[in-house]
Amino acid sequence: MTLAELHQLLTAAVTGLADARAHSERATSLLGEARQALVDAQAKADPWLPSQYAQAGEGLDQLLVRLNAAEDLVSGYRSRL
């Protein structure tokens, strides 16, 4: 594999990670909208939320952290080549 090919593959990896991060951020936004819809529908001080809501939010937060770390690693490796 040539250096140019490696650069091209790393660029594709960074692009894929950025796309995954954007999709995860959109999912987080949609989860917030879903929460607001549930709260608005119930119109009470202590609304009921499904137990999976908190799990989904935590999972998305963890995914975003991992995606950012992976993107940093790949970008750093690519810049050192």
Side-chain angles (χ1 to χ4, degrees):
M1 175 180 295
T2 67
L3 185 58
E5 290 172 332
L6 184 56
H7 271 287
Q8 186 178 21
L9 289 173
L10 290 172
T11 298
V14 168
T15 300
L17 289 167
D19 289 346
R21 185 174 21 84
H23 287 294
S24 298
E25 289 170 350
R26 178 68 179 138
T28 299
S29 174
L30 290 172
L31 191 61
E33 290 176 23
R35 181 191 186 284
Q36 191 60 49
L38 287 167
V39 170
D40 290 347
Q42 294 177 45
K44 60 182 182 178
D46 188 22
W48 172 86
L49 293 172
S51 61
Q52 294 87 350
Y53 177 84
Q55 294 169 339
E58 291 170 10
L60 285 169
D61 289 343
Q62 291 171 0
L63 176 63
L64 286 168
V65 167
R66 290 194 316 259
L67 288 170
N68 286 333
E71 190 173 9
D72 289 345
L73 287 171
V74 172
S75 294
Y77 182 72
R78 184 177 57 167
S79 69
R80 288 190 298 265
L81 288 178

